[in-house]
Amino acid sequence: MSQLIELKVPDIGDFAEVPVIEVFIKPGDVVKVDDALVTLESDKATMDVPASAAGVVKEVLVKLGDKIGEGAVVARIEATDSAGVTANSSAPAPSPATTPAPVAAPAPSPAAAPTPATSYTGSVDVDCDLLVLGGGPGGYSAAFRAADLGLNTVIVERYGTLGGVCLNVGCIPSKALLHIAGVMEEVTHLHELGIVELTSAKVSVEKLRDHKTKVVTKLTGGLAGMAKGRKVTQVRGLGTFIDAQHLNVEVTSGDGQKTTGEKKVVRFKQAIIAAGSQAIKLPFMPADPRVVDSTGALELKDVPKRMLVVGGGIIGLEMATVYATLGTQIDVVELGPGLMPGADRDLVKVWEKMNLSRFNRVMLNTKCIAANADNAGVSVQFEGANGAETPAAGSYDRVLVAVGRSPNGNKVGADKAGVIVDERGFIKVDNQMRTNVPNIFAIGDLVGQPMLAHKAVHEGHVAAEVAAGHKRVFDPLQIPSVAYTDPEVAWAGLTEEQCKASGRKFTKAMFPWAASGRAIANGRDEGFTKLLFDADTHRIIGGGIVGTNAGDLIGEVCLAIEMGCDAADMGHTIHPHPTLCESIGLAAEVAEGACTDLPPQKKK
């Protein structure tokens, strides 16, 4: 006898309302367990929602552009006993939280683990207590911590230097370029402050690249020294598991992709998978050097005249900031209804007010549907979504695809070690970062959202300490996000949108930087600081800041959330004056009705 089953969105971490960017099913389709139903796009990555049961689709309840979160019903299917469906296959709807929930979201796993292959009996080149596969921030942090705790540690990395995407071709080089862009932008306003003879800034792309390279070299060189000082053995190459105690390494050279033909085998007692993620490619984009991901954009080969940024999230907008400052005409296309998804709209509006005029076109509710490369440029066609008008096609000298990243879990042979990896490449772990195989841990991008280096570092510390026999769990109340644009946008803990979506009762306090002496003196008083408090306990549950150096300021909000501070704790803390950080204490005073730096508040 058939039955109707609801297919719901599983736990997707610190995201309450995520836009649907693709729908794979329609009524009448047959779906199997773990088939992708829809794709969601957060500020840092895309994620597929898998089917939790098998059957025939009877009704699809979402469409392109809808915002959905955990527990939302995507579709109803008709299943029979022969489809292998159990009565509890649909996920229960979430109930409103009473405390901030941990925001890291391991991906759901298949029902059964693969059987590990027969144990390796060949020769071994390297033997260790702990193997770390991947030398990014999470990987090298895990390796260094394990070595500090006395474990004989080996780290396998395909590139010639440690640091992974973040230090080599991601976070760090992008911030070096964003700093230069910020200085150039500041120069254009100095005449308003009385510096009238200053000539306009001129750019040497070659020197910009040299500066970026020096920054990267200094940091990666420091990591090499720390690894040597800790006696961490580095093995360069592409690592794939042979079984649950052996890893095969194909030695690489050059840019890290070329293999030399030499192979090494590492035997380990325990392992940490820290293999990260890679940029998502759009299948219709031509294989052309003018179509790049964030790594290609950071190479800064030249300054194109016209550039399309596909994806209005943090990575895309940071690169748009750099290239716009250098003189490139920028178009941005975003499938969702707003830029910088994940942040509260009031924060983003301040950024938009200062930045939308920099760009030629910002196309919201719009998707790219086709692209073609010829001698004149890369021609891209668009299509309006959610009832939006279809913009005219454009031709570009550079196209940056920044639509998120996909995990590398399926690229390291983890299944041969018995580790469960889902079809998207995510590896499920517990709160000690342990996989279903007791001696193998996993951390970073490939264990779930959010895909952030600072999350991976803390996960790496937990995994290393557990591997060394210590009692640790990964249970953060918040994981901060920062857009290093101008102005910067930063937030931590719960957002207003998340509170409203979950029914969480909260109070809000804001301190405008127009009342900050330091912000006014800096000539940058467009921002504000916002704090969210639980309506019953009065403890802080979230906060957001928009303005210069917001990413540096948000750390105090992070600590306050983790420590369970209430508004009085924060407001009674003496902050230095005049500073931007005192806006946090002043916002807390607003919550207490005790702020004397603003007009008197109306009594409630």
Side-chain angles (χ1 to χ4, degrees):
M1 183 176 179
S2 64
Q3 57 178 317
L4 283 181
I5 291 179
E6 293 184 339
L7 302 183
K8 300 181 180 180
V9 178
D11 179 8
I12 56 174
D14 190 25
F15 301 101
E17 292 187 333
V18 185
V20 177
I21 65 169
E22 194 165 2
V23 178
F24 298 109
I25 56 172
K26 63 183 184 297
D29 286 352
V30 177
V31 296
K32 302 187 296 295
V33 174
D34 288 332
D35 278 355
L37 304 176
V38 297
T39 298
L40 310 180
E41 181 183 54
S42 70
D43 58 334
K44 285 287 186 179
T46 59
M47 59 195 99
D48 290 339
V49 174
S52 56
V56 179
V57 177
K58 305 302 291 182
E59 186 179 8
V60 179
L61 302 177
V62 298
K63 61 182 184 302
L64 285 178
D66 284 355
K67 287 187 174 182
I68 60 177
E70 178 182 346
V73 179
V74 175
R76 293 189 178 97
I77 64 172
E78 184 177 54
T80 61
D81 293 338
S82 61
V85 179
T86 59
N88 63 350
S89 60
S90 59
S95 58
T98 55
T99 57
V103 292
S109 62
T115 302
T118 305
S119 296
Y120 176 77
T121 58
S123 61
V124 171
D125 300 288
V126 182
D127 214 323
C128 64
D129 296 327
L130 179 70
L131 163 79
V132 179
L133 178 56
Y140 74 71
S141 297
F144 291 178
R145 184 68 181 123
D148 289 346
L149 294 172
L151 297 182
N152 175 18
T153 305
V154 169
I155 187 166
V156 175
E157 167 59 47
R158 63 178 178 176
Y159 293 110
T161 57
L162 297 178
V165 169
C166 179
L167 265 69
N168 288 283
V169 292
C171 315
I172 299 304
S174 68
K175 301 314 167 282
L177 295 179
L178 283 163
H179 170 69
I180 299 300
V183 171
M184 290 178 62
E185 184 69 20
E186 194 72 21
V187 166
T188 64
H189 297 290
L190 289 181
H191 69 280
E192 300 172 4
L193 307 179
I195 304 176
V196 295
E197 297 297 328
L198 188 69
T199 58
S200 60
K202 293 184 179 180
V203 177
S204 166
V205 175
E206 183 178 353
K207 288 188 176 181
L208 272 180
R209 286 197 300 264
D210 289 345
H211 168 68
K212 173 178 67 78
T213 301
K214 287 177 182 177
V215 170
V216 172
T217 301
K218 184 173 183 178
L219 284 168
T220 55
L223 289 177
M226 288 193 287
K228 185 176 181 180
R230 287 177 163 88
K231 297 182 180 180
V232 172
T233 301
Q234 297 183 63
V235 177
R236 182 176 179 184
L238 295 168
T240 54
F241 286 92
I242 300 173
D243 57 28
Q245 290 186 316
H246 298 87
L247 185 86
N248 180 66
V249 181
E250 294 185 58
V251 177
T252 56
S253 63
D255 63 1
Q257 306 292 337
K258 299 176 182 177
T259 56
T260 65
E262 181 185 359
K263 294 184 179 180
K264 294 182 179 180
V265 173
V266 180
R267 180 168 56 200
F268 56 87
K269 296 177 183 176
Q270 299 184 93
I272 298 174
I273 306 174
S277 62
Q278 62 181 354
I280 293 173
K281 296 181 179 179
L282 296 177
F284 56 82
M285 281 292 174
D288 187 279
R290 291 167 293 184
V291 178
V292 298
D293 56 18
S294 58
T295 298
L298 285 167
E299 290 179 0
L300 201 66
K301 293 180 179 178
D302 54 28
V303 179
K305 291 182 179 180
R306 299 159 299 172
M307 179 173 176
L308 173 67
V309 176
V310 184
I314 289 176
I315 295 173
L317 294 180
E318 287 180 353
M319 287 296 91
T321 298
V322 171
Y323 277 88
T325 303
L326 296 177
T328 300
Q329 185 182 82
I330 300 289
D331 283 0
V332 178
V333 58
E334 165 59 38
L335 182 60
L339 299 175
M340 215 177 291
D344 279 332
R345 294 301 91 189
D346 54 353
L347 299 172
V348 180
K349 283 181 180 179
V350 174
W351 177 87
E352 289 178 337
K353 186 176 181 180
M354 289 193 63
N355 283 273
L356 290 186
S357 60
R358 289 185 178 189
F359 304 148
N360 179 50
R361 290 194 296 176
V362 175
M363 298 168 279
L364 302 177
N365 290 312
T366 304
K367 60 180 179 180
C368 302
I369 58 172
N372 180 63
D374 55 30
N375 292 335
V378 180
S379 300
V380 182
Q381 295 181 346
F382 308 104
E383 181 178 274
N386 307 319
E389 293 184 7
T390 295
S395 180
Y396 304 94
D397 304 303
R398 190 74 41 81
V399 175
L400 166 60
V401 178
V403 295
R405 302 184 66 83
S406 61
N408 289 331
N410 282 319
K411 299 181 181 299
V412 296
D415 57 317
K416 294 181 180 178
V419 174
I420 295 175
V421 185
D422 75 10
E423 63 180 10
R424 295 170 292 166
F426 285 111
I427 296 175
K428 184 178 177 61
V429 294
D430 60 19
N431 62 4
Q432 291 188 314
M433 312 313 301
R434 197 188 302 271
T435 70
N436 61 297
V437 178
N439 69 314
I440 299 179
F441 303 79
I443 63 171
D445 291 359
L446 50 67
V447 302
Q449 299 289 344
M451 292 184 177
L452 297 169
H454 43 277
K455 163 181 161 283
V457 167
H458 283 266
E459 290 173 336
H461 289 168
V462 170
E465 291 174 20
V466 173
H470 294 253
K471 293 182 178 180
R472 276 292 307 276
V473 295
F474 183 71
D475 58 350
L477 296 179
Q478 59 76 42
I479 298 175
S481 294
V482 182
Y484 295 94
T485 48
D486 183 22
E488 292 183 359
V489 181
W491 64 98
L494 298 178
T495 65
E496 279 193 70
E497 291 182 4
Q498 289 172 330
C499 288
K500 292 173 182 177
S502 65
R504 180 73 175 268
K505 294 181 179 179
F506 68 97
T507 59
K508 176 175 69 174
M510 294 178 63
F511 185 82
W513 285 17
S516 163
R518 182 59 183 271
I520 294 172
N522 290 348
R524 294 297 302 270
D525 61 355
E526 73 278 357
F528 64 83
T529 297
K530 174 176 71 173
L531 302 178
L532 305 180
F533 297 91
D534 183 271
D536 297 321
T537 66
H538 306 294
R539 290 185 175 183
I540 184 170
I541 56 174
I545 304 173
V546 56
T548 52
N549 301 315
D552 297 317
L553 302 176
I554 200 67
E556 181 178 342
V557 177
C558 299
L559 179 61
I561 294 171
E562 294 289 354
M563 295 298 293
C565 294
D566 59 21
D569 294 327
M570 300 175 70
H572 294 171
T573 298
I574 299 175
H575 292 73
H577 173 81
T579 60
L580 298 177
C581 74
E582 67 181 332
S583 68
I584 298 171
L586 292 170
E589 288 184 359
V590 171
E592 288 284 286
C595 183
T596 56
D597 286 68
L598 293 175
Q601 298 173 246
K602 293 181 180 180
K603 294 185 178 180
K604 298 178 181 179

